[in-house]
């Protein structure tokens, strides 16, 4: 029998990063908490910067623009976080 054609046993099989990520609840909880905190900080900072711009210019719409910009930055950083936690390379 050719040893190269044998299927690896459960103990000898190399786990991928995705499998080990799914089996670790602490790491998954860390990811969820990090995503929530990241989105909250990006939205809060975007609103704060927009509010400061509103006060400086006497307008009322920069806070909305700041929220949208904060959400966009938050989504991009969440993508990088998920890639990092899952073991992929952030480009």
């Amino acid at each position: 029998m050719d040893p190269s054609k044998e299927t690896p046993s459960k103990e000898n099989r190399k786990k991928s990063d995705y499998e080990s990520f799914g089996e670790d609840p602490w790491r998954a909880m860390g990811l969820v908490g990090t995503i929530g905190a990241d989105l909250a900080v990006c939205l809060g900072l975007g609103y704060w910067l927009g509010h400061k711009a509103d006060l400086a210019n006497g307008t009322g719409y920069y806070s909305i623009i700041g929220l949208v910009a904060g959400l966009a930055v938050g989504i991009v950083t969440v993508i990088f976080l998920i890639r990092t936690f899952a073991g992929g390379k952030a480009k």
Side-chain angles (χ1 to χ4, degrees):
M1 185 147 76
D2 187 14
S4 65
K5 297 195 185 241
E6 292 180 18
T7 58
S9 67
K10 196 172 190 177
E11 294 82 25
N12 294 337
R13 195 174 353 166
K14 182 181 176 187
K15 288 185 175 184
S16 70
D17 290 333
Y18 183 75
E19 287 178 51
S20 63
F21 177 69
E23 294 174 359
D24 189 3
W26 291 106
R27 190 165 180 198
M29 286 180 9
L31 176 62
V32 170
T34 303
I35 288 172
D38 182 70
L39 283 176
V41 167
C42 288
L43 284 171
L45 188 62
Y47 175 78
W48 180 74
L49 289 172
H51 182 69
K52 290 294 182 183
D54 281 338
L55 292 176
N57 296 325
T59 58
Y61 54 86
Y62 281 119
S63 57
I64 301 297
I65 293 172
L67 275 174
V68 172
L71 181 63
V73 170
I75 289 172
V76 169
T77 57
V78 164
I79 290 170
F80 285 123
L81 281 172
I82 291 173
R83 284 184 183 173
T84 302
F85 269 74
K89 297 190 188 245
K91 292 182 180 179

